Amino acid sequence: MKIRLALSLTATLLLAACGSHSSHSNTNATVVENSASATGFNDADVMFAQMMIPHHEQAIEMSDMALDPTTQASKEIIDLATQIKAAQDPEIKQMKDLLTAWAQPLTAEMDHGSKMDGMLSMDDMEKLGALKGPDFDYLWAQSMIAHHEGAIDMAEVVLDDGSNAEALTLANAIVSAQATEIDILKTIPKP
């Protein structure tokens, strides 16, 4: 994903340099880069970023639970939790940066009765946190499967309706990575 983003940025900078007659092409490239991030988005892009941020934050919270030694999670769960956290932390920053560039709020206005797909309730999180060993592993895997399926659903909406190239690239990366993780999570045995 970083390579694609770097190539896209390089292409943008090259186009800006070709179209500029100024000797200050670095300044012009920065302006072009910032305005490229700030334009070419729609409501679907904004909603995707606003809703995916708390969704990812909960996945990181779940990962932190698995990384806590008191849960006695298996090496496989610890490895997955580490991978999930390493992927989703930078994605949260990327989505916050996009929303900032678009001059949009970081959170969506939602009615209090609505629940995002795959999100665990406070009771679910407490139940998960009370388990240990194989019981923890299994419920964590089942919960993360549902969580990832919800994220894939949200990503598919923006892939259908969104217009921002960076948001669409991110959505594709989320679908790919989380589908692969779901396949692994499905192998965690019931105790």
Side-chain angles (χ1 to χ4, degrees):
M1 185 171 87
K2 288 181 181 178
I3 293 172
R4 278 190 234 145
L5 183 58
L7 289 174
S8 174
L9 179 57
T10 302
T12 301
L13 293 175
L14 286 173
L15 288 172
C18 290
S20 172
H21 296 291
S22 170
S23 62
H24 302 290
S25 62
N26 287 344
T27 305
N28 290 339
T30 302
V31 171
V32 169
E33 177 187 343
N34 289 340
S35 65
S37 297
T39 60
F41 69 94
N42 64 20
D43 289 345
D45 299 314
V46 172
M47 185 60 66
F48 167 72
Q50 288 175 335
M51 294 189 68
M52 194 62 77
I53 290 169
H55 207 271
H56 271 22
E57 287 172 342
Q58 186 176 68
I60 290 171
E61 186 179 351
M62 292 169 66
S63 295
D64 286 340
M65 292 170 88
L67 297 172
D68 182 341
T70 63
T71 62
Q72 302 167 7
S74 67
K75 180 179 179 343
E76 188 170 22
I77 295 295
I78 290 170
D79 289 347
L80 280 166
T82 301
Q83 177 180 316
I84 289 166
K85 189 171 179 175
Q88 294 192 17
D89 257 340
E91 289 174 352
I92 290 170
K93 181 183 180 332
Q94 182 181 6
M95 289 181 283
K96 286 180 176 180
D97 288 348
L98 283 172
L99 289 167
T100 300
W102 298 336
Q104 298 296 311
L106 296 181
T107 55
E109 290 186 29
M110 297 174 59
D111 59 32
H112 297 290
S114 64
K115 182 181 171 198
M116 282 184 274
D117 285 348
M119 291 285 281
L120 276 65
S121 68
M122 289 302 293
D123 288 343
D124 295 336
M125 291 291 282
E126 286 176 17
K127 180 179 177 183
L128 180 60
L131 297 175
K132 309 264 183 264
D135 291 327
F136 174 83
D137 288 355
Y138 182 73
L139 185 58
W140 188 88
Q142 295 304 304
S143 300
M144 194 60 81
I145 289 168
H147 202 269
H148 276 10
E149 287 171 343
I152 289 170
D153 289 345
M154 288 193 297
E156 287 175 345
V157 169
V158 79
L159 288 171
D160 288 342
D161 301 332
S163 66
N164 182 268
E166 191 173 347
L168 297 174
T169 299
L170 178 59
N172 274 314
I174 288 170
V175 169
S176 176
Q178 294 196 15
T180 299
E181 289 167 356
I182 287 170
D183 289 341
I184 297 167
L185 289 161
K186 286 180 176 178
T187 68
I188 305 299
K190 187 172 184 173

